[in-house]
Amino acid sequence: MSIDFPLRTLLLAALAAASLAVAAQPRTNAAAAAPFVGQGPGYHDPRSPFKPLEDKEGVLSWSLLSGVTTKIEKKKVVPTFPAAVQALHQQKVRVQGFMMPLEPGDKQKHFLLSSVPTTCNFCVPAGPEGLIEVRSTVAVRYTLEPVVMEGLLAVLKDDPYGLFYRVVEAQPVN
């Protein structure tokens, strides 16, 4: 069986669909005027063989990133970021997470970092507030263990794939 779409397109389409599915859920009249609060950095299954991420000094916290709220405007999910997150736009940061490859091969220059480990090859483990797109300057060997990357953070307000965060010029940190 051949795959017609690249893995990146499938993953990003699944992320966009998940974002829209959450946004399309019915709300009560009282909640209709309120913005959607992010669902958090993702769900870590207690049965997972992987330990949840622990906050590290000098590494951007997933709890900060997941503080984004969203609202629907013209059938689009529009994020509103806390001031502390907006202040990080175009700043050098360190982020940690579990790799989700977007290209074939055991070394990746373009991948997603997730706040929780994936439990399914075709499942997105978190909403857009629990994922970071990474563009690395060097190929990083895929691992099931968390990785720490350093690079320039872009806080995305209107990404065509529905992503909220991207780190470019990234390099692995030991």
Side-chain angles (χ1 to χ4, degrees):
M1 182 171 116
S2 67
I3 297 175
D4 295 329
F5 299 101
L7 181 59
R8 175 178 189 256
T9 303
L10 288 173
L11 283 172
L12 293 176
L15 174 61
S19 296
L20 290 175
V22 168
Q25 291 177 357
R27 297 181 285 168
T28 65
N29 286 340
F36 289 102
V37 176
Q39 299 298 308
Y43 173 72
H44 187 277
D45 190 330
R47 299 169 294 176
S48 173
F50 303 100
K51 294 179 183 176
L53 290 175
E54 295 180 8
D55 284 346
K56 291 183 176 182
E57 188 172 332
V59 175
L60 192 54
S61 164
W62 282 103
S63 59
L64 175 63
L65 294 176
S66 65
V68 63
T69 59
T70 59
K71 59 184 173 183
I72 304 298
E73 288 182 4
K74 299 180 183 176
K75 298 184 181 182
K76 277 179 86 173
V77 176
V78 178
T80 302
F81 299 97
V85 172
Q86 289 178 19
L88 295 171
H89 182 66
Q90 297 302 318
Q91 298 298 311
K92 185 180 271 192
V93 298
R94 286 186 176 186
V95 293
Q96 70 172 335
F98 297 92
M99 290 179 76
M100 293 178 61
L102 295 175
E103 301 169 340
D106 65 337
K107 290 188 175 183
Q108 303 289 311
K109 287 182 108 176
H110 183 215
F111 53 93
L112 295 176
L113 275 186
S114 171
S115 58
V116 295
T118 58
T119 56
C120 164
N121 290 338
F122 302 102
C123 300
V124 179
E129 67 276 6
L131 297 170
I132 300 172
E133 181 183 14
V134 176
R135 297 268 185 182
S136 181
T137 58
V138 297
V140 180
R141 183 171 299 280
Y142 175 73
T143 177
L144 296 173
E145 297 298 318
V147 296
V148 177
M149 302 292 295
E150 182 176 76
L152 295 176
L153 178 70
V155 178
L156 309 171
K157 296 180 181 183
D158 192 21
D159 185 70
Y161 297 109
L163 293 168
F164 292 169
Y165 305 107
R166 179 177 298 123
V167 173
V168 297
E169 300 176 20
Q171 295 187 357
V173 175
N174 295 333

